[in-house]
Amino acid sequence: MTDERESPAPLSACDEPLATRYDVALLDLDGVVYVGPDPVPDAPENLRKAAKEGLRIGYITNNASRPASVVAEHLASFGLDVIAEDVVTSAQAAAKLIAEEFPEGSPVLVVGGEGLTSALEEYGMRPVRSSDAHPVAVAQGFHPDVSWVMLADGAHAINEGAKWYATNLDLTIPTAGGMAPGNGTLVQAIRAAVEVDPVVAGKPEPPLLETSIERLKAKKPLMIGDRLDSDIAGAHAVGIASLWVATGVHDAHDLARAPKDQRPTYIAPDLSALAQKQPGVTVEGAKHSCGGWIAEVVSGAVSVKGEGEPYDGLRAILSAVWTATDEPAKTAKPTAKAVGRGRRPLPKPGPALGSIAIDAALHRVGLDK
């Protein structure tokens, strides 16, 4: 747990580089630092620069397939100065939860790979591969070798009373060849055969980030991710600031549709933002301005004027959209017929998330799909 919790306001300003404002960066990996075996372009160099400014770099992943040491070796191959202690996986967060509930040496059925096995051993549990070992718990995490037999055995153990832990519920995982099924799809397979839900360790649930904050000794952490529903929602869940980057799954259209608990503190195209200040948005009536751009919602669409940096334009657009969709329902003016019948007019709801057209505005600021 952090000593100083920040309640982040979306699209906040920061008058100094993020690398000096925060003490630890909690970086999601897939879609932020790498995609498949390859680094995101310029990500390693941006991280090296941030580290030189004193920012500790922590690597946080929902992917439980590999031990932290193997993840660290992968990252080091990009020229990053990283050791296993800089990496925290959802497998470690799940193992910590299990170790807090069951005695040391208790048998835990692994539905996953080496990442889960090594994490359970690290926390003093005994990994097993068969429900015949009468496990006290089932730990399930993504691994490409998970088979029907492993899923069935997990279901058998859960139905016999073992407590079920899932490292994460991500339905997809980015790969070099495109999106592929993630651990969430495998969890759904077991859920179809049991009557309980798993305890979830990974983002957006708090355990992974709380474990990361503890292990990395963060006082003022910044969560950095590409997924609104896991990375940014996870930051909201533990009350820390967040930076969304456009190098992975979600894009500007997804941002405009984001509910309140998935709106980032800062937005940027990539990790170069760590070396930069972050502009805020000024609101005057219906007009939202950032940099040289002014945006407002008019007749169900965003109108944007001006010129300047594309992401300043995006900030103005998002502020206008979120304000419009968050406005409380307005009381409609009563008609003569309603007054005559003594009826109060029903409140008129604001526009729903996703109903405000933004394509023309994004084109105007240079951020087309």
Side-chain angles (χ1 to χ4, degrees):
M1 305 290 286
T2 55
D3 293 338
E4 179 180 336
R5 287 300 175 107
E6 179 176 342
S7 298
L11 306 176
S12 291
C14 183
D15 59 4
E16 61 181 305
L18 294 177
T20 59
R21 173 70 175 85
Y22 298 93
D23 69 332
V24 177
L26 307 177
L27 281 123
D28 177 58
L29 293 179
D30 291 310
V32 176
V33 181
Y34 56 62
V35 176
D38 302 317
V40 169
D42 299 323
E45 179 60 23
N46 287 323
L47 292 175
R48 285 192 290 269
K49 289 178 180 178
K52 288 180 180 179
E53 293 298 320
L55 182 68
R56 182 174 182 184
I57 310 297
Y59 300 93
I60 316 303
T61 179
N62 265 6
N63 191 326
S65 63
R66 301 183 295 174
S69 59
V70 176
V71 176
E73 290 173 2
H74 183 188
L75 294 168
S77 73
F78 304 152
L80 293 167
D81 184 12
V82 55
I83 58 176
E85 287 72 16
D86 298 324
V87 178
V88 187
T89 73
S90 61
Q92 290 172 314
K96 183 174 185 288
L97 290 175
I98 296 170
E100 289 172 345
E101 184 155 352
F102 298 100
E104 184 176 355
S106 296
V108 178
L109 179 64
V110 174
V111 180
E114 184 185 2
L116 265 176
T117 300
S118 65
L120 289 166
E121 291 173 342
E122 176 186 353
Y123 280 92
M125 309 310 290
R126 178 165 63 89
V128 299
R129 286 291 184 176
S130 172
S131 58
D132 293 339
H134 304 293
V136 297
V138 172
Q140 181 177 8
F142 176 79
H143 193 277
D145 293 337
V146 169
S147 66
W148 180 90
V149 171
M150 295 170 71
L151 295 171
D153 207 29
H156 296 159
I158 294 164
N159 284 329
E160 290 171 3
K163 189 164 182 177
W164 185 18
Y165 295 81
T167 59
N168 67 292
L169 298 180
D170 294 348
L171 292 175
T172 60
I173 184 171
T175 70
M179 284 296 158
N183 192 56
T185 61
L186 303 177
V187 168
Q188 288 181 346
I190 288 184
R191 183 62 182 83
V194 302
E195 297 298 325
V196 297
D197 294 321
V199 176
V200 181
K203 301 168 290 181
E205 300 302 320
L208 175 55
L209 288 183
E210 289 179 344
T211 299
S212 302
I213 290 166
E214 177 184 320
R215 291 175 68 116
L216 296 167
K217 298 178 174 59
K219 303 297 182 183
K220 194 176 291 184
L222 174 67
M223 179 66 215
I224 304 174
D226 64 308
R227 295 186 71 122
L228 303 173
D229 55 355
S230 60
D231 303 321
I232 307 307
H236 276 278
V238 297
I240 64 174
S242 60
L243 166 66
W244 171 85
V245 291
T247 51
V249 173
H250 287 144
D251 61 17
H253 287 79
D254 300 310
L255 278 171
R257 300 184 183 98
K260 291 181 180 180
D261 64 352
Q262 295 181 23
R263 295 173 187 173
T265 315
Y266 313 108
I267 65 169
D270 52 44
L271 293 176
S272 63
L274 292 173
Q276 300 166 358
K277 300 177 181 180
Q278 298 297 308
V281 179
T282 300
V283 181
E284 295 182 358
K287 298 184 184 299
H288 300 251
S289 60
C290 183
W293 300 99
I294 299 175
E296 62 180 314
V297 175
V298 179
S299 301
V302 177
S303 169
V304 63
K305 299 176 182 178
E307 59 183 13
E309 294 294 326
Y311 272 75
D312 287 346
L314 179 57
R315 292 180 182 94
I317 291 168
L318 293 175
S319 181
V321 170
W322 291 343
T323 298
T325 56
D326 291 349
E327 284 181 348
K330 298 177 181 178
T331 302
K333 293 181 180 180
T335 63
K337 183 181 292 185
V339 171
R341 294 178 178 176
R343 294 178 180 174
R344 292 183 179 179
L346 294 174
K348 182 180 179 182
L353 281 171
S355 66
I356 297 175
I358 65 170
D359 286 357
L362 290 178
H363 176 76
R364 176 73 178 79
V365 302
L367 291 173
D368 303 80
K369 260 194 173 180

